[in-house]
């Protein structure tokens, strides 16, 4: 069963910020190569987005429901306002592309440069934590989800969306680095 959280959030930007939480491991054979196969072992368990009107998070509580989440995301993603933003476009783009089985393009990069940490961006821009229980450490969110600490995992995803919105509004975005669309 897919669970949902939706709340009204009024923001002044065009498009949709996407942030996902995942389980699994990178394919070490292709790690940091730019090859989409690096992401084939990663599965989304939380799909969150925020636009100019609201924030919405979809999630599942067990691995058996991941395909249902992917089907739901596949059905709504084309209806979301573009452009798509992410703090790490390569991650969101490649995980979603692998999970949904079709190219998903995330056009706008919120990292100032590749490998910038969200923690540093938030600190530099004096953005509040927005209740993030993991202080920008996404790996802790994976562990929380695996340990059925869903409230913490959702709080982290919501906080990430709010921080990414604040980053966009305070410093804008850039074009992603040489990202190649998914091909099989």
């Amino acid at each position: 069963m897919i669970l949902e959280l939706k709340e009204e959030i009024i923001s002044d930007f065009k498009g949709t910020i996407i942030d996902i939480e995942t389980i699994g491991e990178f394919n070490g054979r292709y790690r940091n190569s730019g090859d989409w196969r690096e992401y084939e072992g990663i599965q989304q368990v939380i799909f969150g987005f925020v636009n100019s009107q609201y924030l919405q998070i979809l999630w599942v509580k067990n691995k058996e429901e991941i395909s249902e989440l992917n089907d739901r995301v596949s059905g709504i993603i084309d209806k979301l306002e573009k452009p798509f933003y992410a703090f790490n476009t390569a991650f969101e783009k490649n995980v979603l592309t692998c999970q949904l089985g079709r190219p998903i393009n995330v056009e706008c990069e919120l990292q100032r440069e590749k490998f910038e940490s969200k923690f540093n961006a938030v600190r530099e821009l004096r953005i509040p934590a927005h209740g993030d229980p993991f202080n920008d450490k996404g790996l802790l969110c994976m562990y929380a989800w695996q340990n059925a600490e869903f409230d913490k995992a959702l709080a982290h995803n919501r906080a990430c969306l709010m921080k990414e919105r604040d980053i966009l509004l305070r410093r804008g975005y850039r074009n992603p680095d040489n990202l190649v669309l998914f091909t099989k």
Side-chain angles (χ1 to χ4, degrees), residues 28 37 78 101 129 139 170-171:
R37 292 173 288 189
D78 294 328
L139 188 61
R170 291 187 187 184
R171 76 172 183 202

Side-chain angles (χ1 to χ4, degrees), residues 105-120:
N105 193 18
V106 181
E107 303 95 334
C108 302
E109 177 68 66
L110 298 175
Q111 284 181 328
R112 183 176 38 219
E113 67 268 334
K114 191 172 178 129
F115 302 120
E116 176 189 31
S117 75
K118 193 180 301 174
F119 176 83
N120 288 341

Side-chain angles (χ1 to χ4, degrees), residues 144-155:
W145 187 89
Q146 290 172 327
N147 291 320
E149 296 176 49
F150 302 114
D151 289 346
K152 288 181 180 179
L154 291 172

Side-chain angles (χ1 to χ4, degrees), residues 83-160:
F84 289 157
Y85 304 86
F87 190 75
N88 179 346
T89 56
F91 185 79
E92 262 74 11
K93 176 188 84 75
N94 284 306
V95 170
L96 288 171
T97 294
C98 286
Q99 291 288 286
L100 305 183
R102 62 188 175 96
I104 301 298
N105 193 18
V106 181
E107 303 95 334
C108 302
E109 177 68 66
L110 298 175
Q111 284 181 328
R112 183 176 38 219
E113 67 268 334
K114 191 172 178 129
F115 302 120
E116 176 189 31
S117 75
K118 193 180 301 174
F119 176 83
N120 288 341
V122 165
R123 186 182 61 196
E124 176 184 305
L125 295 168
R126 295 189 174 118
I127 292 172
H130 291 289
D132 186 352
F134 307 126
N135 205 23
D136 293 311
K137 295 182 180 110
L139 188 61
L140 296 179
C141 185
M142 180 176 78
Y143 296 147
W145 187 89
Q146 290 172 327
N147 291 320
E149 296 176 49
F150 302 114
D151 289 346
K152 288 181 180 179
L154 291 172
H156 173 74
N157 185 255
R158 184 190 180 282
C160 286

